[in-house]
Amino acid sequence: MAEQAFDLIILGGGPGGYVAAIRAAQLGMKTAVVEREHLGGICLNWGCIPTKALLRTSEINHLLHNIGDFGFDAVEPRFDIGKVVKRSRAVAKQLSSGVAHLLRKNKVAVFDGAGKLAGKQTVSVSKDGKDTATLKAPHIILATGARARQLPGIESDGKLIWSYKDAMVPPMMPKSLLVIGSGAIGIEFASFYLNMGAKVTVVEVLPRILAVEDEEVSSFAHKAFEKQGMKIITGAAVKTVKKGADNVTVTVEAGGKSQQISVDRVISAVGIVGNVEHLGLDGTGVKVDRGHVVIDEYCRTGEPGVYAIGDLAGPPWLAHKASHEGVLCVEKIAGLNNVHPMDVLNIPGCTYCRPQVASVGLTEARAKERGHEVKVGKFPFIGNGKAIAMGEPEGMIKTVFDGKTGELLGAHMVGAEVTEMIQGYAIARTLETTETELINTVFPHPTVSETMHEAVLDAYKRSIHF
């Protein structure tokens, strides 16, 4: 095999890898992407996008079952889980094909197979156990992503204990299920199945669900889920799992007491671990810490010319974080002089359950831990005309400001469409906006976004509508 030379080689075609490749091509770099499975990575094929298609279906199912509230009279709606899954997979396929088109458009070479470091500035590509290409480049970006973490004794088997992949393509609709873990992935699946009619139990080892969120938002979401019929057990551990012919009996221990819960299926959603294996890292300066590659503020590893981005490089495990890292990494390689290290506090986080949850920056507790004298503002959706008109009065916005400087330290939201609204606060933080600019900003009426303005006003005792 003849060696092929490039300016940049990227291992992985997910939201970090393919975005980095396109930006590199824009900057005139001859670029190659090595992808062993599907372009778009987990995000487009098995994560962000197809799960949103499923969640959209569950929102519609909820609306159809409450359609009388809007003046309609309709027969009992039914769904076909096979068609629901088919639509979700079609959406994923469409977007994965779109990534392939974008890479062709930008003249990025794509190699089908698994890539690994094979000496200085060298990558070997293999497919089905056979070497298929040898690539050379002065710069190599590792963007191989992550996979679901498996709990010993509760490994997914594709039948009774589901991974996130299994949960996205159910062959039948379970009447009951138990979700282990209440992070974004676990809560989204719990919300989907609950709104599709299943009885759902969530078990969380920590004292509260959605533990990375502000405590008030976490508590609000907890109460909303329980009101919908979800059973939530916090401060709990799964001790044993006993499989039956077509059901699972789980022993859960909480507060020194044990209980057995029998369900049709179990979903394990207990975090992820980086795909650091088989990358040829031995003998290099690349360091791995707790399953993730160690990088500096510009995504450089300890090995000259080797970089890492996205889930492989650690939290926050978000597609948009991976894409941003890919861009800043490539621009630094290209020598652009206006590249800024990423501030993770400016990265918004979103959970697409019902009600939705979104946040950016510091929680109130974290702000106080860092020594800030805080001003906190809150505003409920029940005080917003558009939310009431939509039939979505359940929600709240919370803002956290530095009492001395007026800096927006954080914003936390729960309610309908807050995942679309959080970007307003993310922009505010990126622009280093203070309360003065936010107070003087004119928000359109009637919109749910007015709650964002009111939450700022409330921090300074100026709220109008509540």
Side-chain angles (χ1 to χ4, degrees):
M1 293 180 294
E3 293 182 348
Q4 300 183 58
F6 295 89
D7 298 316
L8 172 68
I9 302 167
I10 302 170
L11 304 190
Y18 87 77
V19 169
I22 291 172
R23 183 65 183 125
Q26 290 173 343
L27 292 170
M29 301 171 72
K30 185 180 179 183
T31 306
V33 168
V34 182
E35 174 54 53
R36 66 182 181 183
E37 197 169 2
H38 304 295
L39 287 172
I42 292 297
C43 176
L44 265 65
N45 293 280
W46 292 102
C48 322
I49 299 303
T51 54
K52 302 312 161 286
L54 292 175
L55 285 159
R56 176 60 173 162
T57 296
S58 71
E59 289 172 3
I60 292 172
N61 191 55
H62 166 71
L63 284 173
L64 288 174
H65 280 83
N66 293 274
I67 203 165
D69 296 343
F70 297 88
F72 290 88
D73 186 11
V75 297
E76 185 73 10
R78 294 178 297 173
F79 64 86
D80 183 329
I81 192 64
K83 292 180 179 179
V84 170
V85 171
K86 183 178 180 181
R87 176 180 180 272
S88 172
R89 300 315 306 150
V91 170
K93 183 177 180 181
Q94 177 182 345
L95 288 172
S96 182
S97 298
V99 171
H101 166 73
L102 288 171
L103 292 174
R104 287 194 301 270
K105 176 184 175 182
N106 286 277
K107 297 180 173 56
V108 174
V110 178
F111 292 84
D112 179 22
K116 69 175 183 179
L117 302 180
K120 190 172 181 62
Q121 301 185 355
T122 305
V123 168
S124 66
V125 182
S126 62
K127 182 74 173 178
D128 299 325
K130 298 180 180 179
D131 292 336
T132 57
T134 299
L135 315 178
K136 300 279 287 186
H139 303 285
I140 299 167
I141 296 177
L142 308 177
T144 53
R147 61 186 182 279
R149 187 183 300 276
Q150 298 278 3
L151 289 177
I154 317 177
E155 294 86 358
S156 57
D157 59 16
K159 182 185 177 184
L160 296 174
I161 301 177
W162 289 349
S163 67
Y164 65 88
K165 283 189 177 182
D166 303 318
M168 292 180 61
V169 289
M172 42 70 74
M173 182 66 192
K175 293 181 180 178
S176 61
L177 58 85
L178 182 143
V179 179
I180 305 173
S182 72
I185 294 173
I187 285 297
E188 285 185 5
F189 277 122
S191 189
F192 167 74
Y193 279 101
L194 182 75
N195 284 288
M196 294 301 284
K199 292 182 179 179
V200 176
T201 300
V202 174
V203 177
E204 171 57 56
V205 69
L206 296 174
R208 59 187 177 94
I209 65 169
L210 296 169
V212 300
E213 302 294 343
D214 185 88
E215 191 167 350
E216 284 188 82
V217 166
S218 173
S219 176
F220 190 105
H222 186 133
K223 291 174 182 176
F225 297 146
E226 287 190 327
K227 184 179 177 182
Q228 295 170 23
M230 188 184 298
K231 182 179 180 181
I232 301 173
I233 310 172
T234 55
V238 173
K239 290 299 182 181
T240 62
V241 172
K242 185 178 180 181
K243 299 179 184 180
D246 197 32
N247 69 342
V248 186
T249 299
V250 181
T251 301
V252 178
E253 185 176 289
K257 297 181 180 179
S258 294
Q259 61 176 306
Q260 289 190 330
I261 303 172
S262 292
V263 292
D264 291 343
R265 298 293 183 268
V266 170
I267 298 176
S268 179
V270 290
I272 61 175
V273 59
N275 293 321
V276 297
E277 302 84 2
H278 315 300
L279 291 181
L281 302 183
D282 290 345
T284 72
V286 178
K287 294 182 180 180
V288 176
D289 180 32
R290 290 173 288 184
H292 295 91
V293 172
V294 178
I295 59 172
D296 69 6
E297 69 272 27
Y298 293 112
C299 305
R300 296 173 292 209
T301 71
E303 178 69 21
V306 178
Y307 313 79
I309 62 175
D311 288 354
L312 179 72
W317 298 290
L318 301 167
H320 43 287
K321 172 257 195 183
S323 296
H324 189 81
E325 278 185 327
V327 170
L328 76 85
C329 180
V330 164
E331 290 183 345
K332 189 67 176 178
I333 290 171
L336 273 63
N337 59 14
N338 62 341
V339 183
H340 301 285
M342 183 171 60
D343 182 352
V344 295
L345 287 178
N346 288 346
I347 302 174
C350 300
T351 305
Y352 300 81
C353 42
R354 186 180 68 85
Q356 294 180 3
V357 175
S359 60
V360 67
L362 295 173
T363 65
E364 180 182 356
R366 289 288 302 277
K368 289 178 178 177
E369 288 173 5
R370 293 192 175 197
H372 292 280
E373 178 186 314
V374 302
K375 285 184 178 292
V376 174
K378 303 173 194 176
F379 193 82
F381 275 30
I382 195 64
N384 177 262
K386 180 67 179 294
I388 294 171
M390 290 170 58
E392 298 285 359
E394 187 176 51
M396 66 166 285
I397 310 292
K398 178 176 180 178
T399 54
V400 183
F401 289 89
D402 185 286
K404 295 179 179 178
T405 66
E407 177 189 359
L408 176 64
L409 299 174
H412 311 277
M413 317 167 80
V414 55
E417 302 306 325
V418 297
T419 58
E420 296 291 341
M421 300 195 304
I422 191 62
Q423 192 59 20
Y425 286 133
I427 292 170
R429 277 193 51 81
T430 299
L431 295 177
E432 299 180 350
T433 301
T434 68
E435 93 288 354
T436 302
E437 289 82 15
L438 287 169
I439 287 173
N440 290 326
T441 297
V442 179
F443 283 70
H445 174 79
T447 62
V448 182
S449 70
E450 290 174 277
T451 59
M452 299 169 62
H453 193 211
E454 293 276 9
V456 174
L457 292 171
D458 184 62
Y460 292 85
K461 311 303 181 185
R462 292 179 54 178
S463 180
I464 301 294
H465 291 99
F466 197 79

